Amino acid sequence: MSIELTVGQVANGGWCVARHEGRVVFVRHALPGERVIAEITEETARFLRADAVEILEASPDRVTPPCPFSGPGRCGGCDWQHASPEAQRRLKAAVVEEQLRRLAGVERPVTVEEVPGAADGGLGWRTRVQFAADRDGSIGLRRHRSHEIEHVDHCPIAHPAVEEVGAESLGWRGAETVEVVASSGGDRAVIVTPRPGRRVSLPDVDAAVLIDEGRRGTRALRGRAAMTERVGDRDFRVTASGFWQVHPGAAATLLDAVLDFARPKAGEWALDLYCGVGLFAAGLAEAVGPEGAVLGIESDPQAVQDARWNLRDLPQAVTERGKVEEALDRLEIERADLVVVDPPRAGLGRSVVDRVATLDAPRIVYVSCDPATLSRDVAWFAPYGYRLADLRAFDQYPMTHHVECVALLLKEPA
Ligand SMILES: C[S@@+](CC[C@H](N)C(=O)[O-])C[C@H]1O[C@@H](n2cnc3c(N)ncnc32)[C@H](O)[C@@H]1O
């Protein structure tokens, strides 16, 4: 069914909010202030979801989407292809401001900063792209909130090194997903997840090939699983299936922002929780020096091995394998001068906030890829005397609704 809507403010998740016959409508492919004809895609008792299919009055921020596969019912990878890059950053800033206001009771203006290292207009940045394969082995990208596949012959937001593999034009019979990864050190890998019980017929590619064996992890079939990422004058070993920032400029940008907020001093005792392969731990360890100490905690065993390798010249940095939820207690960590946290999208959650607060660190730097869980956790830190003292936000995922934040929480004197 089609309805005519006047589009209101942006909401978290790539939607704008409108109203129809007393119900809230979450509209995609629209921009605030527009008048559109929208096709309803989902209906619940409380709200509707819809796609703008015809623009009656366009926002000045509207542009022709650079991707030929975006639009209503098409590829679900991007949310803001139809907005200029500057407008995308304003929309994301509005989302962060609104989440902080609503969930943390914090009023502050937010600016979303551009991240260097992408091609003009926010294209060509994605160094990791996961394609879905159909039963015939041809691959594409998932449609929005759907298991259906949009077949593509290229992805404009993918980094050129990912596109050079040419995975989209090859056959991957037996595969469920095919993930192409490129590193700043010039390594490339393809990680193939087979359909249950199927053998994958692998095409020839100019990349290492890894097979995902589920709980047993990934196994390299061709080439090496280890990739090199360079940040400043330091190389990091990252196993292709492990975590690394997807935008080529993100690791350096976030490291600078974290160190700027953390202000680590020689001799201090710092924690890097959810430390991955040791990006922030390395910067912290250099700053606290041999008289200080850094403890990284990370749950992924392969990332822990990579972190230990990456930090081998910094004996003051130690990486412990485990979940933050249990490791702080197991290691009997009672205090810290500063704590850096970089959790997955779900955020810290109540029990980790409570446990981190007991460390009584004067400074907590919180790196977050979800302003909703960040704002919730900021609210949970408040009763312990932590105040949001500063926040930077980065456009690390142009064309999508995602935004990265680095927040500084300072402990107020009791
Ligand atoms: C967003 S990444 C951050 C990694 C690192 N700070 C970086 O920038 O490269 C989150 C990391 O937390 C790890 N992780 C997820 N859940 C965890 C948990 N409960 N305890 C410890 N580490 C966890 C993941 O394996 C991943 O490496």
Side-chain angles (χ1 to χ4, degrees):
M1 187 177 100
S2 294
I3 51 178
E4 190 176 323
L5 297 173
T6 300
V7 181
Q9 287 314 302
V10 63
N12 197 11
W15 310 89
C16 292
V17 181
R19 291 212 151 255
H20 177 71
E21 294 176 355
R23 270 192 290 182
V24 170
V25 188
F26 293 105
V27 208
R28 273 171 70 77
H29 309 287
L31 290 172
E34 291 188 327
R35 254 182 3 96
V36 303
I37 303 287
E39 192 74 37
I40 294 173
T41 53
E42 191 185 327
E43 186 163 2
T44 75
R46 285 176 27 248
F47 63 84
L48 304 168
R49 293 188 201 276
D51 280 348
V53 291
E54 192 186 333
I55 311 303
L56 303 175
E57 272 173 35
S59 158
D61 293 329
R62 181 170 280 277
V63 296
T64 303
C67 175
F69 309 107
S70 75
R74 309 283 309 272
C75 174
C78 292
D79 308 286
W80 298 122
Q81 285 269 342
H82 58 287
S84 71
E86 301 74 31
Q88 293 182 28
R89 289 193 283 277
R90 274 188 270 114
L91 290 168
K92 295 182 198 196
V95 167
V96 178
E97 286 171 2
E98 190 267 340
Q99 297 289 304
L100 284 172
R101 186 182 313 119
R102 197 160 55 81
L103 300 172
V106 173
E107 279 293 341
R108 63 175 297 131
V110 172
T111 303
V112 173
E113 302 171 42
E114 200 174 348
V115 175
D120 268 359
L123 304 173
W125 54 270
R126 201 172 236 296
T127 59
R128 175 180 285 271
V129 180
Q130 191 181 69
F131 299 97
D134 65 17
R135 296 210 158 265
D136 301 334
S138 64
I139 63 173
L141 295 161
R142 295 237 186 256
R143 298 195 171 132
H144 190 244
R145 294 170 70 84
S146 162
H147 287 293
E148 281 177 30
I149 295 174
E150 176 79 24
H151 289 283
V152 302
D153 58 12
H154 71 290
C155 170
I157 64 166
H159 192 277
V162 166
E163 285 301 291
E164 277 164 26
V165 172
E168 302 95 317
S169 55
L170 300 169
W172 301 88
R173 201 175 282 274
E176 194 158 79
T177 62
V178 174
E179 191 169 8
V180 183
V181 191
S183 82
S184 60
D187 309 297
R188 279 200 286 242
V190 178
I191 306 162
V192 182
T193 304
R195 286 177 178 272
R198 292 278 301 273
R199 266 178 74 86
V200 186
S201 61
L202 292 170
D204 266 345
V205 281
D206 181 14
V209 178
L210 282 67
I211 197 95
D212 182 347
E213 298 188 322
R215 272 203 299 239
R216 282 186 294 166
T218 51
R219 184 164 57 89
L221 294 180
R222 298 180 202 153
R224 275 163 28 95
M227 311 182 85
T228 302
E229 296 284 359
R230 175 145 274 247
V231 182
D233 52 9
R234 184 170 277 280
D235 282 345
F236 290 83
R237 185 181 85 184
V238 186
T239 300
S241 52
F243 180 89
W244 186 256
Q245 297 294 344
V246 169
H247 188 295
T253 301
L254 290 180
L255 177 60
D256 279 354
V258 165
L259 294 180
D260 187 40
F261 278 173
R263 300 207 178 279
K265 291 189 234 0
E268 281 192 326
W269 160 227
L271 291 176
D272 179 8
L273 307 182
Y274 311 86
C275 70
V277 302
L279 172 67
F280 303 142
L284 293 170
E286 284 172 1
V288 300
E291 306 299 312
V294 178
L295 172 67
I297 298 179
E298 165 61 46
S299 61
D300 174 23
Q302 187 58 57
V304 172
Q305 279 188 29
D306 288 344
R308 288 178 180 157
W309 173 260
N310 295 330
L311 301 170
R312 67 196 181 287
D313 62 323
L314 296 163
Q316 64 271 35
V318 170
T319 311
E320 184 68 29
R321 176 178 161 188
K323 287 191 182 257
V324 170
E325 296 87 316
E326 57 80 23
L328 289 170
D329 284 342
R330 172 167 48 83
L331 301 168
E332 298 179 9
I333 308 294
E334 286 175 2
R335 59 162 291 278
D337 294 316
L338 87 96
V339 181
V340 175
V341 299
D342 185 6
R345 195 161 294 284
L348 298 180
R350 187 105 222 194
S351 64
V352 174
V353 167
D354 290 344
R355 184 63 178 84
V356 169
T358 66
L359 302 172
D360 210 23
R363 283 159 293 157
I364 297 174
V365 180
Y366 191 141
V367 183
S368 160
C369 58
D370 186 339
T373 55
L374 169 68
S375 303
R376 177 204 65 194
D377 290 347
V378 165
W380 283 342
F381 271 116
Y384 294 101
Y386 285 98
R387 173 181 63 85
L388 179 66
D390 211 342
L391 180 134
R392 290 178 69 187
F394 298 100
D395 196 13
Q396 250 177 241
Y397 317 94
M399 304 289 169
T400 77
H401 72 271
H402 298 287
V403 56
E404 191 87 4
C405 293
V406 181
L408 172 64
L409 299 175
L410 292 181
K411 176 118 189 182
E412 309 251 80

